[in-house]
Amino acid sequence: MTTLAATAAAILEQYTAHLAEPPPPPPEEPWAVQSLADGAAGISLLHIETAGRYDGSWLSAHRWITSAASGPISAADRTGLFLGAPAVGFLLSAVPPTYQHLYASARTTLHQHIVGLAQRRVDTALARIDRGDLPTFAEYDLFYGLTGIGAYLLRTEPEGPALERILQYLVALTRPLAPNGRGLPGWWVRHDPVRGESPHFPGGHDNFGAAHGITGPLLLLAQALRHGITVHGHQDAMFTICAHLDAWCQHGDSGPWWPEHISRRDLDRGRPHHDAPARPSWCYGTTGIARAGQLAGLSLRSPTLQKFYEDALYRALSDPAQLALVTDNGLCHGWAGIYQTAHRAAADALDPRLRTLPERLGDGLLTSGRSGSSSAPGLINGIAGTALALTTFASQQAPSTGWDACLLIN
């Protein structure tokens, strides 16, 4: 083991020990344990991964899984991959074969509810499209929308009818809407970037991010196509999204970059209100967008497309000015997400430069990990997510559980 890998393993051990025992569910928010982002559901993934990778005791993993499923699990229409039944279902899909018998009944029951949830939500979304109304993040995004539920189904029942309907819906989402005679992309949401009303975003906005924007659906469409799962119009939908990304791509000295979002005014004048790239995060930045574009090129068998996005990723993650904007160690917009995405991208790369990125970025991950810049315990913004990226760095291997499928970068 190299010195850096040993350091990563030591930080990982410290983080894992800090998360050894789940606290009681908060009495005012008992549902919070079902959160993949912040609760026991997400933290379970760390203990599942470390137990499987290091042949450790299953006891800690079992305690966290039990905590995540300690109360009634919601499959209400507002639940998604990062909260409720899909979140708990996803964590159970990560359990190694040796222990799956412990949760088989629960997993079967949850899956049935998640399939029903997917069907209901597709019905609602298609009815909204038929009316010509604008969507919200919660309809289609990765965290709480149909893209996230599709990520779960691609992992658990890839050839089932529920995933097929979600993919058909995403194809429909890429067709333009014309509410009140105004042509807008089909994924143009009616609210501002923080889900509210803002004078800066009259009439809503177009979001480019992997977490809440159109990059999430592109990731799912690309991952499905890569696994041989397709629906009518699948590739055309991907080309539509890629053309939109191409139209709004900005070119600077440090390479291509994309705005986080655009307003109606931006759309009308044909340029974004951003004048420089923001932090190169997984959730909104070039890292997530470039991984989606790379996977699109890979699944569409377009080396030209793949190489363009690989160059964008390499240049963004080699730019000191952009990396200086990264101030935390989390998965969502910090070093852990950047490192994990770069590791996955390097494994698929045509561009040999990408294979140098994980080692170089590991220093940033370790530095942020040592500083303990987050004291939150959760997966998406907390030390559980950082620790999971550290398992990848310490072992120099992809996750044994495929936990990063919840980010669709796997």
Side-chain angles (χ1 to χ4, degrees), residues 244-337:
H244 186 76
L245 292 175
D246 184 60
W248 287 94
C249 180
Q250 309 298 301
H251 296 273
D253 292 340
S254 59
W257 60 275
W258 289 264
E260 293 185 347
H261 37 65
I262 56 172
S263 66
R264 181 65 205 225
R265 182 169 179 266
D266 297 336
L267 184 68
D268 291 342
R269 68 180 184 170
R271 70 177 189 273
H273 57 275
H274 302 79
D275 57 8
R279 57 191 171 190
S281 62
W282 163 80
C283 60
Y284 272 97
T286 297
T287 296
I289 293 170
R291 176 58 171 160
Q294 179 197 33
L295 286 167
L298 186 68
S299 60
L300 291 167
R301 299 182 182 180
S302 172
T304 300
L305 185 65
Q306 182 177 345
K307 288 177 180 178
F308 171 77
Y309 280 101
E310 289 180 357
D311 177 69
L313 182 63
Y314 178 80
R315 294 178 70 180
L317 297 185
S318 300
D319 179 22
Q322 291 186 62
L323 292 177
L325 300 173
V326 183
T327 57
D328 72 82
N329 58 6
L331 284 174
C332 194
H333 26 67
W335 282 103

Side-chain angles (χ1 to χ4, degrees), residues 143-165:
F143 274 29
Y144 303 111
L146 282 162
T147 295
I149 297 172
Y152 162 81
L153 291 167
L154 182 61
R155 186 169 166 87
T156 57
E157 193 181 356
E159 297 185 0
L163 178 60
E164 180 180 27
R165 291 200 70 212

Side-chain angles (χ1 to χ4, degrees), residues 32-405:
V33 293
Q34 299 169 30
S35 170
L36 201 66
D38 305 309
I43 298 169
S44 297
L45 293 175
L46 170 61
H47 292 282
I48 293 170
E49 176 70 24
T50 54
R53 184 177 293 281
Y54 301 113
D55 296 321
S57 168
W58 186 248
L59 185 58
S60 288
H62 182 71
R63 286 171 178 161
W64 282 96
I65 293 169
T66 301
S67 175
S70 59
I73 299 172
S74 177
D77 287 356
R78 297 183 68 179
T79 58
L81 179 61
F82 277 76
L83 184 66
V88 180
F90 182 88
L91 83 87
L92 292 181
S93 75
V95 173
T98 304
Y99 302 104
Q100 286 178 3
H101 67 281
L102 298 173
Y103 315 101
S105 177
R107 185 175 175 183
T108 298
T109 301
L110 276 171
H111 184 74
Q112 292 170 347
H113 284 288
I114 297 165
V115 167
L117 170 68
Q119 297 284 12
R120 295 194 308 273
R121 292 194 60 176
V122 169
D123 288 341
T124 300
L126 292 178
R128 189 273 307 163
I129 289 174
D130 288 343
R131 293 193 304 272
D133 295 338
L134 294 174
T136 64
F137 284 163
E139 179 185 289
Y140 72 80
D141 76 7
L142 176 57
F143 274 29
Y144 303 111
L146 282 162
T147 295
I149 297 172
Y152 162 81
L153 291 167
L154 182 61
R155 186 169 166 87
T156 57
E157 193 181 356
E159 297 185 0
L163 178 60
E164 180 180 27
R165 291 200 70 212
I166 288 176
L167 296 175
Q168 290 168 342
Y169 153 73
L170 291 180
V171 170
L173 184 71
T174 65
R175 299 180 186 127
L177 288 176
N180 302 319
R182 301 179 304 171
L184 295 170
W187 57 84
W188 185 284
V189 293
R190 62 175 182 253
H191 49 72
D192 67 17
V194 293
R195 302 179 183 81
E197 301 292 331
S198 167
H200 300 292
F201 294 91
H205 78 287
D206 175 1
N207 196 289
F208 288 79
H212 301 298
I214 193 55
T215 294
L218 180 60
L219 279 163
L220 180 59
L221 289 164
Q223 294 280 24
L225 180 58
R226 191 180 186 188
H227 288 83
I229 310 298
T230 62
V231 296
H232 179 70
H234 194 127
Q235 296 189 26
D236 288 342
M238 293 175 64
F239 282 123
T240 295
I241 298 171
C242 289
H244 186 76
L245 292 175
D246 184 60
W248 287 94
C249 180
Q250 309 298 301
H251 296 273
D253 292 340
S254 59
W257 60 275
W258 289 264
E260 293 185 347
H261 37 65
I262 56 172
S263 66
R264 181 65 205 225
R265 182 169 179 266
D266 297 336
L267 184 68
D268 291 342
R269 68 180 184 170
R271 70 177 189 273
H273 57 275
H274 302 79
D275 57 8
R279 57 191 171 190
S281 62
W282 163 80
C283 60
Y284 272 97
T286 297
T287 296
I289 293 170
R291 176 58 171 160
Q294 179 197 33
L295 286 167
L298 186 68
S299 60
L300 291 167
R301 299 182 182 180
S302 172
T304 300
L305 185 65
Q306 182 177 345
K307 288 177 180 178
F308 171 77
Y309 280 101
E310 289 180 357
D311 177 69
L313 182 63
Y314 178 80
R315 294 178 70 180
L317 297 185
S318 300
D319 179 22
Q322 291 186 62
L323 292 177
L325 300 173
V326 183
T327 57
D328 72 82
N329 58 6
L331 284 174
C332 194
H333 26 67
W335 282 103
I338 290 169
Y339 177 83
Q340 192 69 28
T341 306
H343 178 90
R344 288 293 196 173
D348 292 324
L350 292 174
D351 187 335
R353 296 178 300 169
L354 261 66
R355 291 190 276 277
T356 69
L357 281 178
E359 183 176 353
R360 290 164 50 189
L361 294 169
D363 186 58
L365 176 64
L366 289 179
T367 300
S368 69
R370 286 193 197 98
S371 70
S373 60
S374 172
S375 58
L379 175 74
I380 201 71
N381 288 315
I383 62 173
T386 304
L388 278 164
L390 286 167
T391 66
T392 301
F393 181 70
S395 65
Q396 294 297 296
Q397 293 178 349
S400 62
T401 60
W403 65 265
D404 51 356

